[in-house]
Amino acid sequence: MSEPVVVVYDPITTIRWNYDVERETLAEHGVTLLLPPTLDEARAVLPRADVVVASGKLPTAELDLMTRCVAVVCYSVGMDGVDATRAAQLGIEVTNVPDYCTEEVSDQAIALFLALQRALVPTAAAAATGQWQVRDWDEFYRMRRVRGQTMGVVGLGRIGRRVAEKAQGLGMTAIAHDPYPTDAPIPFLPLPELLERSDAVVLCAALTPESRHLIDAAAIARMRDDAVLVNVARGGLVDEAALAEALHAGRLRGAALDVREVEPTPPDSDPLLGMRNVVLTQHVGATSVEAFADMHVLAAARILDLLRRHGRLAAR
């Protein structure tokens, strides 16, 4: 059995990040980790790869170069950056690292929700410039008590379940919509009914061709005028033009988005900038010291499991 090779197609280089844990863990099992510094060099070594790791989008054309590859590991929870249909045609498994940031993303969802309830971002920004008088703002009179509200969670996977549990811990009622209902002790509803009943709708669903623009103008029209929308999943779940139109028209109380359909969204074409009832963050929901440490360990474990299952590494 030849020594397995793992290629990181697009190594993370823009932040303080290294792959020492993955490299050392894989080396203990005789597996080589390659970190090509350019995409051209990545393409040159893809034919050697038993497993490919993709931090972002993996162009479909690259799959055809991966003649030895048994699996692609998305270095994230989401897997929408890989053409799963073409990968399946080539016999390449597509998987992810699902457990590394469950607490962080669910925390981010609750934090964004609370920021909207308390108009935290605009009032804090005003206070930072010495502005004290905010009692003439519409947002001042639309703050809500959290206890007693209903949170509708769309997508009840690991993260969605934790969002629901944390909402319940705040004294809220949690309801859910998911195309694959589970035995979770939370009422499952059709999406239209969830939208109509929820004070807050939190998106935790995967982005698929079927779920793109799941929250469009028609869906927003079903939501209450005093409801808020929170998205910590994928930006493509929301029709942002329809959302901006509804917010400007007062058909929603607010929105908080950690993810956008285009990242980063060009400031000169972003319809959601400059609104006091909108909170925008930079896709940071998965971030924490603990999550980063978990990612290294769990990614290495996932790679080793894949190599063993596909016969590229001897079982223990």
Side-chain angles (χ1 to χ4, degrees):
M1 184 180 298
S2 61
E3 184 176 272
V5 173
V6 175
V7 174
V8 181
Y9 173 75
D10 48 355
I12 298 171
T13 59
T14 57
I15 59 176
R16 288 177 287 182
W17 194 268
N18 63 64
Y19 295 85
D20 292 348
V21 171
E22 290 93 333
R23 180 184 285 107
E24 292 168 8
T25 302
L26 296 176
E28 291 174 2
H29 297 268
V31 179
T32 299
L33 180 68
L34 300 180
L35 304 170
T38 68
L39 289 180
D40 283 342
E41 290 173 88
R43 294 185 187 102
V45 296
L46 285 179
R48 296 175 52 196
D50 295 271
V51 171
V52 171
V53 177
S55 305
K57 184 172 178 59
L58 180 68
T60 300
E62 311 294 51
L63 292 169
D64 294 311
L65 301 176
M66 294 156 48
T67 53
R68 180 176 169 78
C69 184
V70 295
V72 173
V73 176
C74 299
Y75 206 56
S76 61
V77 174
M79 295 186 287
D80 51 290
V82 179
D83 184 341
T85 300
R86 180 57 180 153
Q89 291 171 348
L90 295 169
I92 298 173
E93 181 178 351
V94 180
T95 187
N96 60 350
V97 187
D99 297 315
Y100 86 100
C101 63
T102 301
E103 291 299 328
E104 287 73 15
V105 179
S106 56
D107 283 350
Q108 184 82 3
I110 296 298
L112 291 172
F113 164 71
L114 291 173
L116 288 172
Q117 301 312 296
R118 305 304 308 160
L120 183 63
V121 172
T123 53
T129 63
Q131 181 182 352
W132 191 256
Q133 179 54 264
V134 295
R135 285 165 176 77
D136 56 347
W137 291 6
D138 180 59
E139 291 77 18
F140 182 84
Y141 294 96
R142 300 189 76 183
M143 294 187 193
R144 293 283 312 279
R145 177 184 296 165
V146 170
R147 180 172 292 277
Q149 290 191 46
T150 295
M151 179 174 285
V153 180
V154 180
L156 207 68
R158 292 172 177 83
I159 292 169
R161 286 189 183 217
R162 286 298 286 143
V163 170
E165 290 167 359
K166 292 173 183 181
Q168 290 171 325
L170 293 171
M172 302 181 71
T173 297
I175 57 178
H177 170 76
D178 195 293
Y180 306 104
T182 66
D183 58 356
I186 299 168
F188 279 81
L189 301 175
L191 183 60
E193 185 177 349
L194 178 141
L195 296 173
E196 293 166 0
R197 288 181 53 181
S198 297
D199 297 288
V201 175
V202 180
L203 304 181
C204 302
L207 179 62
T208 65
E210 293 75 26
S211 66
R212 182 170 294 279
H213 287 188
L214 182 70
I215 304 301
D216 57 9
I220 293 170
R222 289 186 174 272
M223 295 175 65
R224 300 176 179 179
D225 287 350
D226 63 348
V228 299
L229 176 70
V230 177
N231 189 4
V232 292
R234 285 292 185 264
L237 293 171
V238 178
D239 181 339
E240 293 182 356
L243 175 62
E245 181 180 351
L247 289 165
H248 281 292
R251 292 198 300 274
L252 284 181
R253 185 159 57 91
L257 311 177
D258 183 50
V259 290
R260 304 297 305 275
E261 188 155 22
V262 176
E263 296 182 351
T265 303
D268 58 355
S269 61
D270 190 345
L272 295 172
L273 289 185
M275 302 179 68
R276 285 202 297 246
N277 60 342
V278 173
V279 180
L280 302 173
T281 51
Q282 303 93 337
H283 203 150
V284 297
T287 303
S288 77
V289 172
E290 294 83 0
F292 288 166
D294 287 348
M295 170 59 95
H296 294 304
V297 173
L298 294 171
R302 177 56 59 97
I303 292 167
L304 291 172
D305 176 66
L306 288 164
L307 291 171
R308 292 189 183 103
R309 285 198 291 105
H310 288 277
R312 300 297 172 86
L313 189 65
R316 289 178 177 175

